[in-house]
Amino acid sequence: MTKIKICGIATLDDAVEISRLGVNMLGFLEDPVSPRYVKTQFLRIVRRSVSTPLVSVNVTRPLQVILENPYVDTVQVHRVLSEEELELAKSYSKKTILYVPSSERYLDYLRRVLDVTNMVLLDLERKGDRPNFDFLSKVLRDYPGLGVGGGISPDNVNDFLRLEPGWLDISRGVEDYPGKKNLSKVRKILEAIR
């Protein structure tokens, strides 16, 4: 069964309620560039309130800082890393999700990332792009278990589930506005999976 990560959570109430619904991972943007930004101390509070694994998501922060967060189970880096950063990520024991743009031109990068972690997120290269289901299907056939994100909502979740990814990363598709999740939409996603 496909697992679910709900990302961009910015309130304690949403974290607790979404955890109760039974998602597999809760994602929090610890990068000030995001309108869904939360501080590290907020994650300390969340950690005491839920048992669901917490993921710290980062875009621009230095890798050394990202990998040392004591309150999360997994860190996610949502940018293409340099070779030096990939080597650094290999040296840490914390679970790491690495972003790979879902585009043919990043297939070599995908192979390099798979040397670092098996937790790979194939996501849109640019916000507003449409997912290329043929490409995703091909990659998931060659590399089963990868995660998929980008434009997933209750209206199209079944299209993504047909790909049989290891997990889905969903943020905007279950929001009322940046950072505020719509629990009804989260329930619809979970119903589609079950």
Side-chain angles (χ1 to χ4, degrees):
M1 181 165 65
T2 301
K3 295 181 178 180
I4 296 294
K5 173 177 164 258
I6 299 297
C7 198
I9 298 168
T11 71
L12 182 59
D13 286 344
D14 280 353
V16 169
E17 291 305 316
I18 292 168
S19 178
R20 284 185 185 145
L21 292 176
V23 302
N24 305 96
M25 294 178 274
L26 303 174
F28 302 87
L29 284 124
E30 263 197 291
D31 206 314
V33 301
S34 173
R36 297 162 185 86
Y37 168 66
V38 299
K39 294 182 178 183
T40 301
Q41 295 309 321
F42 174 73
L43 293 173
R44 182 174 51 84
I45 295 166
V46 174
R47 172 77 297 146
R48 285 189 257 153
S49 304
V50 303
S51 59
T52 304
L54 305 185
V55 180
S56 169
V57 181
N58 297 268
V59 180
T60 62
R61 293 172 63 210
L63 198 55
Q64 298 88 330
V65 173
I66 295 168
L67 292 168
E68 293 175 358
N69 184 322
Y71 306 116
V72 298
D73 305 283
T74 304
V75 295
Q76 177 177 330
V77 184
H78 205 81
R79 68 174 182 265
V80 174
L81 297 178
S82 67
E83 292 303 318
E84 182 179 301
E85 289 175 311
L86 287 172
E87 285 301 315
L88 179 61
K90 260 190 214 183
S91 70
Y92 279 77
S93 60
K94 190 172 288 268
K95 288 183 190 174
T96 306
I97 297 171
L98 295 180
Y99 157 76
V100 175
S102 57
S103 166
E104 287 281 340
R105 64 192 187 112
Y106 287 96
L107 284 175
D108 286 338
Y109 179 69
L110 169 62
R111 289 187 266 286
R112 292 194 311 275
V113 165
L114 285 167
D115 284 339
V116 176
T117 181
N118 64 351
M119 295 183 73
V120 173
L121 174 63
L122 298 169
D123 200 346
L124 300 174
E125 189 172 358
R126 290 173 300 278
K127 300 296 178 214
D129 282 356
R130 297 181 133 296
N132 180 334
F133 287 101
D134 291 335
F135 172 76
L136 290 169
S137 178
K138 176 184 175 278
V139 172
L140 289 167
R141 194 172 34 254
D142 293 343
Y143 304 101
L146 302 183
V148 174
I152 304 168
S153 72
D155 297 331
N156 65 11
V157 68
N158 287 315
D159 296 332
F160 287 91
L161 290 172
R162 278 191 275 285
L163 298 169
E164 299 183 11
W167 51 285
L168 295 176
D169 191 319
I170 306 168
S171 182
R172 293 177 195 202
V174 293
E175 283 185 326
D176 288 331
Y177 53 85
K180 178 60 184 138
K181 301 306 175 191
N182 180 312
L183 297 178
S184 175
K185 290 180 180 180
V186 174
R187 280 187 200 94
K188 287 178 183 174
I189 295 283
L190 292 170
E191 287 166 10
I193 289 171
R194 295 177 180 146

